[in-house]
Amino acid sequence: MSAFTESVLIKKLGDLNTSSQSIQTLSLWLIHHRKHNEKIVSIWMKELSKAPANRKLVFMYLANDVIQNSKKKGPEFGNSFATILPKAFKDISHKCSDDKTFNSLSRILNIWGERGVYDSSKIKEYTSNLRVTGSTSSVKSSGSSSSAKNSGSATNDKPKEELTPKSSSSSSSRKRKATDEHASNTSNGSDKKSSKVPTPSKAKILEVNGEKHITLSPTKQIIGDPPEPDELIKMLESLEEAASSDAATREKITRLPPEVSSLDALSKLEDKEAAAKLHLKVNEAVQLLKDYNSRLAAEMNERNKLTVMLKDFQKEQQELLAQAEQRLEEYTTKLDKVKEVQSEIKNHLAKLPDISFANLPDFTGNFASLPSAADLFNVHH
C-alpha cells in the first residue's frame, strides 16, 4: 500500500466514486493508516465542505464504511468521526436539497442505532443536526428501539405520506438496493446475492446499478496488522546491524583468556593478588557476555516480530493477488466481447455500398448547365 500523505489522501478523495469497489478500497487504505486517524478525519471534513452537493453523499458512504469496519482494529476512527459528524451533517443539511441524500443519511443513522455503532444520544444529536431549518427533505428518526420511543413526538409530526413506503417500479427498487448497500456495508457476506461468475473464496463481488464489481480489499480478517513496505524495509535494515552480525564483539569473546571459563585455574592461584586479577578478568568477561546475550535476545524478538509481519504481509498480498487475478479475468472477458462487437462493426461497414463522390457517375457532361437568374429575366424580356 502507498504511504500516507495529505496530498495522497486528497487525491484519493477526489477520485472517489459511488461504486462499492472504490469506497471499500479507499476504506481499507484509511483503516491501514489508522494511526493518522485524527488527520484523516480532519482532511475528510475539509474536503466534504468543499465538495459539490452531488458528491457529499459518497463522503458519508466512505465514513460509514470506515467507522463500521475499523471497529475490529480499534475505536480510533469511531471516536475521531464522532466529534466531527455533527458539523458534517449540518454542512450537508445546508447545502443539499435532494431527497435521495437525506433518505440515504437517514438509513445510515438507523443502521448505526440498530448496530450500536454510536449510542442513542449521539444518534439523536446527529439526527437533529440533519434536521436543521432550511433543509427541504424530512429525515426519518433513527437510533435504537429505545431512542425511537423517546422521539415519538418528532415522528408524529411527519406527514403521513412520509411514514408510508411509496410504491416504485422494479428498476427503482434495484437502485435503492444499491444505495442501501453502501450504508449497510459490513463483513456479512451471507446477505449478498450469489453470482454466477466463478470467484475465489477470498474475492467479493458486489453489484451496483446492475454492474458487478470485485473488491480489491481483503475480505478475510487477517490476524495481524499487515505492515507497510516501508516498515518492513526499516526492520530489515535494522537487522543488518544486529548482534549476530557484530564480528568485533564475537572476536573479543573468542580472545577471552581460558582461565575465565575454567575452574582448574582456581587451583593454580598462589596469592591474593593473582586471585584479584582473575576476579577482574572474570567480571569483565561476564559483563561482555551478558551484554552480548541481551543483544542476541533482543535480536531474536525482532526476528520473531519480523516473521509475523512477513506472514501477515504475505497473506494480504496473496489475497489481493487472487482478487486482482479475478478482476483481470472478468475484464479480459469484457475486452473479448468488445473486440467481438468491434469485428462485427468492421464487417458490417465493409458490406455497405461505397457512396463516396469519387465513385459517383459524372453528370456534368450529359446535361446542359442550368440558366442563371440573369438569363431567366432576359428570356421574359
Side-chain angles (χ1 to χ4, degrees), residues 187-342:
S187 58
N188 236 341
S190 60
D191 295 337
K192 301 191 183 297
K193 294 183 178 179
S194 59
S195 172
K196 294 182 180 179
V197 180
T199 312
S201 59
K202 294 179 180 179
K204 185 178 182 181
I205 290 185
L206 298 171
E207 187 171 348
V208 181
N209 294 334
E211 181 181 356
K212 289 185 175 64
H213 297 276
I214 299 179
T215 63
L216 279 180
S217 58
T219 54
K220 280 190 177 181
Q221 183 179 358
I222 298 174
I223 295 174
D225 184 13
E228 296 182 29
D230 292 343
E231 295 176 12
L232 287 175
I233 292 171
K234 287 179 181 178
M235 181 160 282
L236 289 169
E237 288 176 346
S238 67
L239 289 174
E240 290 180 358
E241 300 177 0
S244 59
S245 304
D246 189 354
T249 302
R250 291 204 309 272
E251 186 177 356
K252 285 182 181 179
I253 293 173
T254 57
R255 290 182 178 180
L256 287 173
E259 57 266 22
V260 299
S261 57
S262 175
L263 294 175
D264 295 338
L266 296 176
S267 60
K268 298 177 182 180
L269 293 176
E270 297 179 353
D271 52 29
K272 188 175 182 180
E273 183 179 353
K277 288 181 180 179
L278 179 60
H279 183 262
L280 181 61
K281 289 180 181 179
V282 169
N283 285 344
E284 290 176 352
V286 167
Q287 189 61 42
L288 177 63
L289 290 169
K290 186 178 179 181
D291 292 343
Y292 190 64
N293 285 341
S294 63
R295 289 173 60 198
L296 286 172
E299 180 185 348
M300 288 177 60
N301 290 333
E302 290 298 309
R303 290 190 182 277
N304 286 333
K305 289 179 183 177
L306 178 61
T307 302
V308 174
M309 290 171 67
L310 287 170
K311 286 181 179 178
D312 293 337
F313 186 78
Q314 185 181 25
K315 286 180 183 177
E316 181 190 39
Q317 294 306 312
Q318 286 174 342
E319 186 170 351
L320 293 176
L321 175 62
Q323 295 178 31
E325 288 174 348
Q326 178 61 29
R327 285 196 70 199
L328 176 62
E329 182 181 349
E330 178 190 1
Y331 286 104
T332 300
T333 304
K334 288 184 178 180
L335 177 61
D336 292 339
K337 291 180 180 179
V338 172
K339 285 183 176 179
E340 192 176 327
V341 173
Q342 183 186 43

Side-chain angles (χ1 to χ4, degrees), residues 104-158:
S104 298
L105 292 178
S106 175
R107 166 75 172 153
I108 290 174
L109 288 172
N110 280 322
I111 290 172
W112 287 355
E114 292 166 2
R115 298 180 182 177
V117 177
Y118 291 112
D119 56 39
S120 58
S121 60
K122 285 286 185 185
I123 299 297
K124 286 181 181 178
E125 181 185 1
Y126 302 151
T127 304
S128 63
N129 283 301
L130 194 57
R131 290 176 179 163
V132 295
T133 305
S135 67
T136 60
S137 174
S138 177
V139 183
K140 297 177 182 179
S141 62
S142 55
S144 60
S145 57
S146 60
S147 63
K149 292 177 182 178
N150 295 334
S151 57
S153 59
T155 306
N156 293 333
D157 292 338
K158 294 182 179 180

